[in-house]
Amino acid sequence: MVTHEELEALDLLCWLRNGDAAARLAYCNQSTISRRSQQALQVFNPFPGHGPGSHSLAGPSTLLQMEREVHQLYRLSGRSRLRLHAPYWASRVLGHQLHATWIVNPAREKESVGAALGLLEDRVIDAMIAEASQRPDDHDPKFVCFDLYEVPLVLCADVLARNQFSECLHSDKNLSSDDVKSLSFVIPQEFLSPESKGCVFQLFNHLYGDGLGVDCGSDQRPEESSPVTFLMAHHTSAFEDFHRYARIDSDCGFRAKESLVVLRGLEDSPGIICLLETLSASYLGPLRKYSEVIIDRAMV
């Protein structure tokens, strides 16, 4: 058996992959997090993840899974804080809005936190706000999804690039696919999940042609072009971080969606209901002023 603090330390490291961030959420220092997680590892002896500094568990033992289930019930009973995984922009908003019974991963602009669905299934986290690329199928027996909202996906130019190609992209009207193809190359936002980054490249290739929406080095990018990225339509207005981007007048024809995902069987627990109420009021509430954002009817 392990203490609550020891398993918490291990799970926070698995989730956040950052000792300082884990220590802040556990109200202790990094050395304490490291010591506690090592004590937990000695008990469960799982197969460690590969690579320096890795805290992922490739093959958690049955005992560890059972222990995590018990500790999740402990959190759901209100005796410890529940864990919400959220994308960068949602974490920025919810970091100061969540009920005291919940914590959320810190918003790190240049670091994505991937594999969240696996962490949810392993009960390392208790809920996640999933991008469309991460959302499980409606028929998946392991999860329940609460759709939050959908919004058009738009292609944007970086106005700080300050070159003639960037100016053409965000100033000219009714650009054709060939125009976009000749003037730009795509760069996903660094905070996106690995799944979403892959979708960005695939979508750019699908819309604007082969060879430009690939994860290539700077030496392979066309010299006479400017970086572009995909954003949700409201992001350039709603978040200061995205004010540097201007929408390109070229219809993508795709919509982005966010959903809250929890393990099946937990959807009616008081903690999850409390989270849904917070999301409706504090996260979705400010989005209602943007005409392109369509809030799901169940969240109104």
Side-chain angles (χ1 to χ4, degrees), residues 132-149:
S133 60
Q134 299 172 307
R135 187 187 188 280
D137 187 88
D138 286 328
H139 302 293
D140 192 318
K142 295 176 291 187
F143 305 104
V144 174
C145 298
F146 300 91
D147 291 335
L148 302 178
Y149 70 93

Side-chain angles (χ1 to χ4, degrees), residues 257-271:
K257 177 183 287 188
E258 282 189 359
S259 307
L260 182 72
V261 185
V262 301
L263 282 178
R264 190 171 298 278
L266 303 183
E267 64 270 23
D268 294 324
S269 65

Side-chain angles (χ1 to χ4, degrees), residues 46-256:
F47 299 104
H50 300 289
S54 174
H55 302 287
S56 60
L57 303 181
S61 67
T62 301
L63 177 60
L64 175 56
Q65 291 297 84
M66 294 172 62
E67 193 75 17
R68 279 176 168 161
E69 185 170 356
V70 170
H71 281 247
Q72 184 179 59
L73 291 174
Y74 184 79
R75 295 193 298 273
L76 288 167
S77 70
R79 300 178 184 179
S80 184
R81 295 172 300 166
L82 293 154
R83 303 163 189 164
L84 170 67
H85 175 86
Y88 169 73
W89 54 87
S91 179
R92 285 286 307 273
V93 174
L94 293 170
H96 304 289
Q97 301 291 339
L98 285 177
H99 190 273
T101 54
W102 282 89
I103 55 175
V104 65
N105 53 292
R108 296 198 291 266
E109 184 175 6
K110 295 189 177 181
E111 183 178 350
S112 66
V113 182
L117 200 60
L119 295 175
L120 183 64
E121 184 175 2
D122 288 341
R123 302 176 191 270
V124 173
I125 58 177
D126 304 297
M128 66 176 287
I129 296 177
E131 306 158 56
S133 60
Q134 299 172 307
R135 187 187 188 280
D137 187 88
D138 286 328
H139 302 293
D140 192 318
K142 295 176 291 187
F143 305 104
V144 174
C145 298
F146 300 91
D147 291 335
L148 302 178
Y149 70 93
E150 64 177 68
V151 65
L153 198 64
V154 297
L155 189 66
C156 296
D158 185 351
V159 298
L160 297 185
R162 300 187 185 281
N163 58 50
Q164 60 180 345
F165 311 106
S166 174
E167 292 178 6
C168 289
L169 284 167
H170 66 79
S171 299
D172 292 357
K173 302 299 181 183
N174 298 316
L175 290 174
S176 68
S177 296
D178 287 339
D179 292 332
V180 176
K181 177 179 179 179
S182 65
L183 293 170
S184 67
F185 59 91
V186 70
I187 299 181
Q189 294 292 324
E190 293 181 272
F191 53 76
L192 288 177
S193 66
E195 302 96 330
S196 292
K197 286 181 180 179
C199 289
V200 165
F201 293 126
Q202 292 173 19
L203 179 59
F204 192 87
N205 270 336
H206 172 74
L207 293 172
Y208 305 112
D210 295 336
L212 294 175
V214 295
D215 193 4
C216 57
S218 58
D219 57 334
Q220 296 175 279
R221 295 167 183 162
E223 293 183 3
E224 297 184 350
S225 61
S226 186
V228 296
T229 194
F230 287 104
L231 293 172
M232 295 182 185
H234 65 293
H235 276 181
T236 55
S237 300
F239 299 99
E240 183 178 353
D241 309 59
F242 303 123
H243 286 178
R244 61 183 288 179
Y245 295 100
R247 187 186 301 198
I248 296 171
D249 189 19
S250 177
D251 186 13
C252 297
F254 283 82
R255 301 185 69 82

